[in-house]
């Protein structure tokens, strides 16, 4: 795989390319998603990129009625809440993500532990392309 | 092995003052701090000359963003006639002034200063709710904000993880809200000095006046279950799970232990002072505790030689109801997964064995973020000196009280233990 710096910028570039990438410490095998350039387990900087399969389980979630300006711009409000969550990847690491394909007006039906699959949400184009990491129920 | 930490010189608290907390259109940061400062001076039993203060440490988080003015250290020190003496601003999100307190303690313990003023101030209410939410979200972890998490959203997510692991429900969080609201009417400085029953009566009164159908609720929990009265903000966090937007200030006078009696007949001593740093949600080993709080507690207990059961009452950072629940476990007052049962049994009520947030907590007292850390210690000061009036903890021989402060979504946490000798 090509050499990109183990940074948040690279993480986002990979998301634009529909890849969920993390860094793995070559010395102690610790996995970090988003990537870290310094291993916080053994302090090594010898890292390699690894691609996640995109299979996960919901670890925690919330259905937000009062969102930040960029979510309001997408049409979310008190009547149309959205779901954000923490998901545990099959590989073991956890990531923050938007949870799509669920009814955020019925949070009782969303269950911690439910199986999920990755989805890349693209917004904008060209230099303005931004990709949000999202997961859908399987 | 963890090094046993202790201060090089004892530090005592000899004065404390706090402004009323609330939303004040006609008061700014200087007005609020002046109010707290005047009360602090009056609280020093034997009086003192403010020109003897060696330095100021001041906590503030969002003023840059909300009132477009930064660099508050010298502004506040000038307000109280301290310049050209040093003024240092600390920033640790909602734990800003607990960090100021800690730095002031270290400055005295090192022997460099003898008399230090520590305080906090925040002016939040001149902005819209959306702007305040955006400003506070500056203190989340970047990955969280990017996928839409807000402050209440992060705590909502922690609540779902806690519920899933331990079987607690929203009903358990309501016990915390009801308890905080039962203490608040006894605190004359609280932003919402109203019980839930008072809120219900007020809504019924309003409906009557407007000729609208009168709402009926069986009890306080029925009111909290009613989405019209208690709408969702970030499920499972509803309006009554969240602290309000507040303005306020608080300050305290710290001195070297050996000169404390020159100022006060009844000084308090700083016997435990811990601080920890936390990671974002995605990097936590477990979503049902705050590692920064556990670290702060370990430091403070280690320094004081005390155990959780030695703490007689505590202020605990309840920016959201779930935060109080998780923290009373992290601080060791209850076992992990047992906190919600303890609250349901009334153990954390003012007249219970472990009173938590006798001030009404951030939920009702208010949460001017930069002033909160010192504001919590103000409550400990009042309680330990037997000056808390109607909300005085009814325990005999009150000697040890504590305050726990959290910044951001757990990025900075402190735990400070005070003793009356
Ligand atoms: Zn490593």
């Amino acid at each position: 795989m090509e050499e990109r710096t183990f940074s948040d910028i690279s993480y986002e570039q990979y998301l634009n390319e529909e890849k969920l990438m993390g860094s793995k410490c070559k010395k102690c095998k610790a996995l970090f998603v988003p990537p870290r350039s310094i291993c916080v387990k053994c302090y090594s900087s010898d890292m390699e990129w690894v691609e996640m399969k995109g299979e996960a389980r919901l670890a925690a979630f919330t259905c937000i009625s009062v969102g930040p300006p960029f979510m309001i711009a997408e049409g979310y409000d008190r009547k149309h809440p959205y779901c954000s969550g923490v998901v545990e990847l099959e590989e073991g690491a956890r990531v923050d993500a938007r949870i799509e394909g669920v009814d955020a007006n019925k949070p009782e039906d969303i269950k911690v532990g439910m199986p999920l699959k990755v989805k890349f949400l693209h917004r904008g184009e060209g230099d303005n392309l931004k990709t949000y990491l999202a997961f859908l129920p399987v | 092995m963890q090094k046993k930490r202790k201060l090089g010189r004892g530090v005592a608290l000899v004065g404390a003052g706090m402004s009323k907390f609330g939303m004040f259109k006609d008061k700014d940061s200087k007005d609020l701090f002046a109010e707290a400062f005047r009360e602090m001076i009056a609280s020093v039993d034997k009086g003192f000359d403010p020109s003897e203060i060696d330095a100021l440490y001041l906590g503030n988080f969002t003023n840059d963003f909300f009132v477009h003015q930064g660099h508050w250290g010298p502004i506040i020190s000038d307000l109280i006639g301290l310049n050209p003496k040093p003024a240092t601003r600390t920033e640790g999100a909602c734990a800003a002034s607990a960090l100021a307190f800690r730095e002031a303690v270290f400055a005295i313990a090192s022997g460099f200063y003898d008399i230090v003023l520590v305080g906090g101030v925040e002016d939040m209410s001149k902005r819209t709710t959306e702007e305040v939410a955006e400003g506070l979200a500056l203190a989340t972890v970047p990955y969280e904000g990017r996928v839409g998490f807000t402050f209440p959203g992060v705590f909502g997510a922690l609540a779902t993880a806690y519920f899933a692991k331990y079987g607690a429900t929203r009903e358990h969080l309501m016990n915390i809200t009801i308890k905080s609201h039962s203490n608040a009417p006894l605190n004359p400085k609280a932003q919402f000095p109203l019980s839930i029953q008072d809120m219900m009566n007020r809504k019924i009164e309003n409906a009557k006046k407007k000729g609208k159908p009168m709402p009926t609720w069986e009890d306080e929990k029925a009111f909290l279950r009613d989405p019209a009265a208690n709408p969702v903000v970030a499920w499972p966090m509803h309006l009554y799970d969240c602290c309000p937007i507040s303005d306020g200030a608080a300050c305290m006078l710290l001195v070297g232990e050996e000169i404390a009696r020159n100022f006060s007949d009844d000084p308090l001593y700083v016997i435990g002072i811990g601080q920890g740093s936390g990671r974002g949600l995605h990097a936590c080993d477990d979503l049902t505790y705050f590692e920064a709080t556990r670290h702060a507690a370990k430091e403070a207990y280690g320094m004081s030689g005390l155990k959780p059961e030695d703490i007689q009452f505590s202020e605990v950072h309840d920016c959201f109801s779930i935060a109080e629940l998780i923290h009373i476990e992290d601080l060791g007052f209850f076992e992990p997964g047992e906190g919600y049962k303890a609250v349901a049994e009334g153990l954390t009520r003012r007249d219970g064995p472990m009173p938590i947030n006798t001030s009404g907590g951030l939920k009702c007292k208010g949460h001017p973020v930069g002033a909160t850390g010192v504001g919590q210690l103000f409550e400990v000061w009042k309680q330990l000196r037997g000056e808390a009036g109607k909300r005085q903890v009814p325990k005999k021989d009150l000697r040890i009280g504590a305050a726990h402060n959290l910044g951001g979504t757990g990025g900075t946490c402190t735990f400070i233990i005070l003793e009356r000798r």
Side-chain angles (χ1 to χ4, degrees):
Chain A
M1 208 156 280
E2 76 227 77
E3 275 317 300
R4 294 192 203 184
T5 53
F6 298 96
S7 67
D8 291 347
I9 292 171
S10 302
Y11 175 72
E12 302 230 314
Q13 282 171 352
Y14 274 128
L15 290 180
N16 286 342
E17 298 160 26
E18 304 216 335
K19 284 182 178 146
L20 175 56
M21 301 295 288
S23 68
K24 192 173 186 173
C25 174
K26 285 188 187 170
K27 200 171 153 203
C28 79
K29 308 295 176 205
L31 174 67
F32 305 105
V33 191
R36 290 180 186 266
S37 61
I38 299 169
C39 175
V40 292
K41 303 273 187 218
C42 77
Y43 304 100
S44 166
S45 284
D46 196 7
M47 293 286 188
E48 63 183 343
W49 283 106
V50 283
E51 183 172 358
M52 302 296 113
K53 277 166 48 187
E55 285 164 22
R57 283 183 187 278
L58 188 60
F61 71 96
T62 178
C63 296
I64 299 181
S65 306
V66 186
F70 75 95
M71 293 303 284
I72 294 169
E74 284 199 24
Y76 294 106
D77 57 24
R78 283 187 183 279
K79 283 208 174 81
H80 308 94
Y82 62 91
C83 183
S84 296
V86 182
V87 308
E88 185 162 326
L89 303 170
E90 199 186 272
E91 292 84 353
R94 292 207 189 106
V95 283
D96 302 316
R98 281 163 66 164
I99 310 300
E100 297 275 305
V102 294
D103 185 351
N105 273 314
K106 290 182 184 164
E108 299 82 2
D109 295 344
I110 305 172
K111 303 285 182 204
V112 167
M114 67 196 259
L116 304 165
K117 181 134 195 65
V118 73
K119 183 189 173 187
F120 299 92
L121 295 178
H122 301 297
R123 299 283 183 265
E125 282 173 35
D127 288 347
N128 295 322
L129 176 66
K130 206 167 164 29
T131 305
Y132 296 104
L133 180 64
F135 279 80
L136 292 167
V138 170
Chain B
M1 223 185 86
Q2 202 188 359
K3 195 180 162 203
K4 179 145 170 58
R5 300 179 197 282
K6 55 176 191 167
L7 299 177
R9 173 197 190 190
V11 177
L13 176 56
V14 296
M18 190 178 106
S19 75
K20 187 166 168 27
F21 284 4
M23 295 173 87
F24 306 113
K25 279 200 172 62
D26 54 351
K27 285 185 199 171
D28 66 13
S29 294
K30 286 162 67 180
D31 303 327
L32 294 161
F33 198 89
E35 193 179 322
F37 185 68
R38 276 186 218 109
E39 182 179 351
M40 187 282 292
I41 291 179
S43 76
V44 179
D45 301 326
K46 295 181 177 172
F48 89 110
D49 177 359
S51 73
E52 290 175 12
I53 296 171
D54 292 319
L56 166 71
Y57 288 83
L58 180 78
N60 174 257
F61 171 29
T62 56
N63 272 14
D64 309 55
F65 191 81
F66 293 153
V67 298
H68 296 294
Q69 172 66 58
H71 202 176
W72 280 89
I75 298 173
I76 296 297
S77 61
D78 182 46
L79 169 81
I80 56 174
L82 214 60
N83 293 4
K85 289 176 185 169
T88 305
R89 172 182 169 181
T90 56
E91 194 277 299
C94 320
S97 61
L99 300 196
F101 186 92
R102 201 161 180 265
E103 293 309 312
V105 166
F106 293 153
I108 294 170
S110 75
F112 198 83
Y113 295 134
D114 296 315
I115 306 170
V116 174
L117 182 69
V118 55
V121 66
E122 207 77 49
D123 184 2
M124 306 172 72
S125 73
K126 317 300 188 276
R127 298 278 149 186
T128 65
T129 302
E130 288 76 15
E131 285 171 324
V132 171
E134 192 185 2
L136 292 176
L138 293 172
T140 59
V141 171
Y143 312 114
E144 291 158 7
R146 225 168 282 167
V147 297
F149 272 114
T150 54
F151 248 37
V154 167
F155 287 88
L158 293 171
T160 61
Y162 186 96
F163 292 173
K165 184 166 178 181
Y166 296 122
T169 65
R170 249 195 91 198
E171 302 279 315
H172 293 108
L173 297 182
M174 291 175 187
N175 295 327
I176 292 172
T177 301
I178 292 167
K179 186 261 306 166
S180 294
H181 272 277
S182 71
N183 289 335
L186 309 176
N187 184 352
K189 295 191 189 239
Q191 184 167 355
F192 292 113
L194 299 165
S195 68
I196 296 293
Q197 189 61 53
D198 294 335
M199 302 293 293
M200 291 157 67
N201 295 343
R202 185 182 269 199
K203 294 223 175 204
I204 292 168
E205 223 25 67
N206 278 343
K208 206 189 279 177
K209 256 187 229 156
K210 288 181 185 162
K212 284 187 182 167
M214 282 213 284
T216 50
W217 300 284
E218 225 169 75
D219 57 14
E220 292 167 315
K221 282 199 176 172
F223 172 82
L224 293 172
R225 274 183 224 118
D226 177 358
N230 186 18
V232 63
V233 174
W235 199 90
M237 295 296 101
H238 291 61
L239 184 62
Y240 280 82
D241 292 295
C242 309
C243 63
I245 293 164
S246 318
D247 309 321
C251 69
M252 300 188 138
L253 195 65
L254 292 173
V255 301
E257 188 175 273
E258 76 286 354
I259 57 170
R261 296 272 165 189
N262 299 345
F263 294 83
S264 176
D265 302 320
D266 195 4
L268 304 181
Y269 297 88
V270 181
I271 59 167
I273 185 160
Q275 183 181 333
S277 303
R279 296 173 283 185
L281 286 177
H282 73 283
C284 293
D285 295 331
D286 190 308
L287 294 167
T288 59
Y289 67 86
F290 291 98
E291 62 176 343
T293 294
R294 288 190 178 182
H295 184 85
K298 198 172 154 188
E299 271 195 6
Y301 289 133
M303 175 178 153
S304 62
L306 297 179
K307 295 191 177 69
E309 53 267 35
D310 298 322
I311 308 296
Q312 292 172 297
F313 67 97
S314 187
E315 289 290 294
V316 169
H317 197 94
D318 61 322
C319 47
F320 300 93
S321 55
I322 183 67
E324 176 171 324
L325 174 53
I326 292 177
H327 288 133
I328 58 175
E329 298 177 2
D330 288 341
L331 296 169
F333 303 148
F334 304 100
E335 291 294 315
E338 297 295 320
Y340 72 93
K341 296 173 200 164
V343 175
E345 287 167 28
L347 305 187
T348 60
R349 287 162 41 132
R350 197 172 51 83
D351 56 0
M354 187 58 207
I356 300 291
N357 289 333
T358 51
S359 66
L362 313 187
K363 169 70 188 77
C364 305
K365 183 183 68 174
H367 184 25
V369 291
T372 281
V374 172
Q376 291 174 313
L377 290 163
F378 176 80
E379 177 70 8
V380 180
W381 159 268
K382 284 290 192 193
Q383 289 286 355
L384 284 178
R385 286 174 38 113
E387 296 171 350
K390 286 180 184 163
R391 66 182 190 286
Q392 185 67 46
V393 168
K395 284 183 185 184
K396 284 199 182 99
D397 190 28
L398 216 50
R399 262 187 355 101
I400 309 274
H404 161 269
N405 193 193
L406 167 144
T409 52
T412 300
C413 295
T414 63
F415 189 51
I416 296 169
I417 307 172
L418 300 180
E419 180 185 31
R420 182 190 197 191
R421 290 179 187 156

